[in-house]
Amino acid sequence: MEVWNLVIVFLALYLSLAFLRRRRSRTLSYPPGPPAFPLVGNLLWLRRPFSEIESILRRLRLEYGPIVMIKVGFLTPVFVSDRDLAHKILVQSGATFAGRPPVGPATSLLTGNQYSINGLPYGPLWRTLRRNLSAEILHQSRIRYFSRARDWVLTVLLDKLRMEADTGEPVMVVESFLYAMFCLLVFMCFGEKLEEKTVREIERIQRDILLYVDKLTIFAFLPKIGKYLLKDRWRKIGDMRRRQKDVFLPLIRARQKWRDQGMSSCGENILEFSYVDTLLDMEVPDGEGKNRKLRDEEIVSLCSEFLNAGTDTTVTALEWIMANVVKRQDMQKKLFEEIIAVVGKVEAVEEEDLGKLAYLKAVVMEGLRRHPPGHFLLPHAAIDDTEVNGYVIPRSAPLNFMVTEMNWNGDVWENPMEFRPERFLPGGEGEGVDITGSKEIKMMTFGAGRRICPGLALAVLHLEFFVANLVREFEWKEVEGEQVDMTEKVQFTVVMKTPLKVRLFPRSG
């Protein structure tokens, strides 16, 4: 009788759960959004370019609330614009929403089957690769190890800017920023200072791939037949990937050869340790309970990710910060006076001095808040159909977070569109703000939760280091008769529509 009682209890529980599940499926619905037509989706995208999505979503929020679903062809992306809801999803339910939505065949081909830390699904392989990057390259001790690489690149950058300033002509600074940052990340990645021709070649192929990503949207509408209807575009994707491998593989093999020879030749031009070294040494799960070495194609993809993650977003943030430094001469004067007061009239601001420069840190933080390089995080995805605020988020649906709605929230930030570093000084609303968003989200330039950008500390260090030394070395002024244009333009990141052009005057002493 006891056995039968247990069976009856279990059956009752099972039937109750089944009833509740069916009831839940009837009472819960997908997030609200504008009406859509079969196959095509929402007609909004036939009338407006996709670059206007941010302004469209702000209007949709007023009508539908802080979580909206928009149908785009076969896709059903969900957009979140509320900071408390973002914290609930990314931090409190981090494991549930740490996935990535599947990508189309075009993106897969261009990224080596999405073999990157940013692109991989949440799981053992992702954890292995991210742990390697965080522990071996982005750990505080490793960051300090690369300080001589930063010192060298600072010299490269200042020499280029000084040479351009000496012509007496206005200087377009973003090109020098981009080249310098590529020099730094290439050195950290491959462990070797490369000649300018090679760095430029790497820079060119990486930029070509980044900017071509926008042209892959059409494949989301036609995932099965796109490569047959758009043969030229598909062929170009393959050509770009082959160009990338042709550039990267000789550098990877040269590093392997140097290691095989006992790392005999070290000096100014070679680092004893690099990101490629960690990739050559590591083993990853093969999905069958065993481990294996990384393949060449996978190492190429991881190196590409490392270079892009450390260059494009950092250069974009640096240009926006320096644009505000140029427009706000009072802010530039205050920044320079703090540098002189703390470190004196030295040739360069050292990394150990940065922690003493409170106003510098405030300027950088305000730059990251007011001008986040990406206005959306990379899409997340739920591992299963999951309830959020009374709605069902479909499994694998692209889940997007509006960074600017967090960073420019008027309930958190006073006059949020104003560039005001003082808000991050004692007494300001940004004092002690946690940019990781672990307790609450006030700004999420680097994301939050399990997929937060692992290079957060390195990015902030690079911005503080280069801003301090650029202001220490030059007085930055607008070109006479040409005000700095703060209009935005969407590329891979959100850049200045009119690149920053300035007059540079070397400071004496």
Side-chain angles (χ1 to χ4, degrees):
M1 290 297 295
E2 291 181 0
V3 173
W4 280 109
N5 286 336
L6 286 174
V7 170
I8 291 170
V9 169
F10 279 121
L11 280 173
L13 286 172
Y14 174 79
L15 291 171
S16 298
L17 289 172
F19 172 76
L20 290 173
R21 191 178 293 114
R22 283 197 299 270
R23 184 178 178 183
R24 176 177 176 270
S25 67
R26 289 197 301 268
T27 57
L28 294 180
S29 59
Y30 291 148
F37 290 86
L39 300 181
V40 175
N42 188 274
L43 293 181
L44 224 52
W45 312 115
L46 300 180
R47 304 196 310 267
R48 300 285 186 84
F50 200 76
S51 59
E52 293 185 17
I53 186 172
E54 218 173 338
S55 59
I56 293 170
L57 287 169
R58 289 196 181 102
R59 290 198 298 273
L60 292 178
R61 176 178 181 170
L62 297 176
E63 184 175 354
Y64 297 106
I67 181 167
V68 176
M69 175 182 282
I70 300 175
K71 294 185 179 180
V72 185
F74 292 96
L75 300 178
T76 54
V78 177
F79 295 87
V80 175
S81 57
D82 178 78
R83 68 189 188 98
D84 293 327
L85 189 54
H87 187 270
K88 178 179 179 180
I89 294 171
L90 293 175
V91 179
Q92 297 176 19
S93 304
T96 302
F97 292 97
R100 290 286 192 227
V103 299
T107 303
S108 183
L109 176 62
L110 198 57
T111 59
N113 199 27
Q114 211 178 2
Y115 204 93
S116 65
I117 299 169
N118 273 331
L120 281 168
Y122 184 68
L125 178 56
W126 174 81
R127 281 191 288 270
T128 300
L129 293 173
R130 180 170 171 120
R131 189 185 309 118
N132 173 71
L133 177 64
S134 299
E136 298 296 335
I137 299 296
L138 301 178
H139 189 272
Q140 196 60 44
S141 61
R142 290 299 192 189
I143 289 177
R144 285 195 297 269
Y145 169 77
F146 290 112
S147 61
R148 72 182 180 95
R150 284 186 286 277
D151 290 340
W152 166 65
V153 168
L154 176 64
T155 301
V156 170
L157 175 58
L158 295 181
D159 285 348
K160 278 191 171 294
L161 293 176
R162 201 177 293 114
M163 191 186 322
E164 293 188 55
D166 288 345
T167 67
E169 296 296 320
V171 180
M172 301 282 287
V173 295
V174 70
E175 170 60 28
S176 296
F177 289 174
L178 193 58
Y179 173 70
M181 207 58 65
F182 262 105
C183 283
L184 176 55
L185 270 292
V186 165
F187 198 12
M188 293 173 66
C189 183
F190 298 108
E192 182 179 358
K193 287 182 187 177
L194 301 177
E195 58 183 18
E196 182 168 346
K197 178 183 176 182
T198 306
V199 174
R200 294 287 188 190
E201 193 174 8
I202 293 172
E203 178 186 338
R204 189 160 48 250
I205 182 59
Q206 292 297 108
R207 296 291 295 170
D208 286 349
I209 289 175
L210 271 182
L211 297 179
Y212 203 72
V213 168
D214 283 346
K215 299 183 182 294
L216 305 183
T217 307
I218 186 65
F219 290 99
F221 288 89
L222 305 166
K224 300 294 185 183
I225 61 174
K227 64 181 179 181
Y228 302 106
L229 296 178
L230 303 166
K231 290 182 179 179
D232 290 344
R233 195 169 295 190
W234 184 262
R235 190 180 301 113
K236 183 167 183 177
I237 294 168
D239 289 343
M240 292 170 75
R241 179 64 176 175
R242 280 189 290 274
R243 278 175 55 208
Q244 187 182 55
K245 289 192 287 188
D246 288 344
V247 174
F248 282 29
L249 284 176
L251 299 173
I252 294 166
R253 287 165 182 158
R255 187 67 179 186
Q256 179 66 71
K257 183 179 179 181
W258 175 77
R259 285 157 49 91
D260 292 342
Q261 292 175 346
M263 302 181 290
S264 54
S265 56
C266 277
E268 282 189 6
N269 295 327
I270 296 181
L271 292 172
E272 294 179 7
F273 181 80
S274 72
Y275 185 46
V276 164
D277 293 333
T278 72
L279 301 179
L280 292 170
D281 288 338
M282 76 180 303
E283 293 186 343
V284 297
D286 64 358
E288 298 179 0
K290 298 179 181 179
N291 291 333
R292 63 169 178 83
K293 291 285 189 178
L294 289 170
R295 304 182 184 96
D296 283 349
E297 174 126 345
E298 294 164 346
I299 295 177
V300 169
S301 295
L302 290 164
C303 289
S304 175
E305 176 187 46
F306 182 79
L307 295 177
N308 282 340
T311 54
D312 201 74
T313 52
T314 304
V315 168
T316 299
L318 181 59
E319 186 183 22
W320 279 115
I321 291 171
M322 295 311 299
N324 281 280
V325 166
V326 174
K327 283 186 73 71
R328 290 276 307 279
Q329 290 293 309
D330 59 323
M331 186 174 73
Q332 182 178 168
K333 182 173 183 290
K334 187 174 181 179
L335 191 51
F336 178 69
E337 288 175 348
E338 179 187 58
I339 292 169
I340 296 302
V342 172
V343 304
K345 293 188 176 182
V346 294
E347 290 186 3
V349 180
E350 302 293 338
E351 290 180 21
E352 53 265 28
D353 298 323
L354 298 177
K356 308 169 190 173
L357 300 170
Y359 192 67
L360 167 70
K361 185 173 288 293
V363 169
V364 169
M365 287 291 289
E366 180 68 342
L368 292 170
R369 184 201 68 82
R370 178 60 184 82
H371 301 286
H375 285 198
F376 295 88
L377 302 185
L378 289 176
H380 286 240
I383 59 175
D384 202 352
D385 289 0
T386 306
E387 179 188 349
V388 173
N389 269 29
Y391 299 111
V392 172
I393 306 297
R395 177 181 178 273
S396 298
L399 183 57
N400 302 270
F401 296 85
M402 298 180 67
V403 173
T404 51
E405 292 301 288
M406 323 295 168
N407 288 24
W408 302 345
N409 189 325
D411 294 333
V412 176
W413 307 102
E414 182 181 352
N415 299 321
M417 304 310 288
E418 178 186 347
F419 193 94
R420 188 165 58 83
E422 287 74 15
R423 69 175 85 243
F424 286 97
L425 295 176
E429 67 269 33
E431 180 184 6
V433 68
D434 176 16
I435 57 175
T436 69
S438 57
K439 295 181 179 179
E440 66 172 330
I441 292 176
K442 289 188 174 182
M443 56 184 283
M444 59 185 302
T445 304
F446 296 97
R450 303 194 180 206
R451 288 275 190 172
I452 191 172
C453 174
L456 185 158
L458 183 65
V460 172
L461 170 64
H462 284 172
L463 290 172
E464 291 180 359
F465 180 69
F466 287 109
V467 170
N469 280 290
L470 289 170
V471 172
R472 164 64 189 86
E473 184 68 21
F474 301 104
E475 186 177 2
W476 294 65
K477 290 185 175 293
E478 287 183 313
V479 177
E480 188 174 350
E482 297 183 30
Q483 288 191 345
V484 174
D485 181 5
M486 304 298 279
T487 307
E488 297 173 343
K489 174 184 173 181
V490 179
Q491 286 186 344
F492 176 73
T493 52
V494 180
V495 301
M496 297 182 69
K497 183 177 181 180
T498 304
L500 180 61
K501 183 166 64 173
V502 297
R503 289 280 188 181
L504 294 179
F505 299 92
R507 298 186 190 271
S508 59

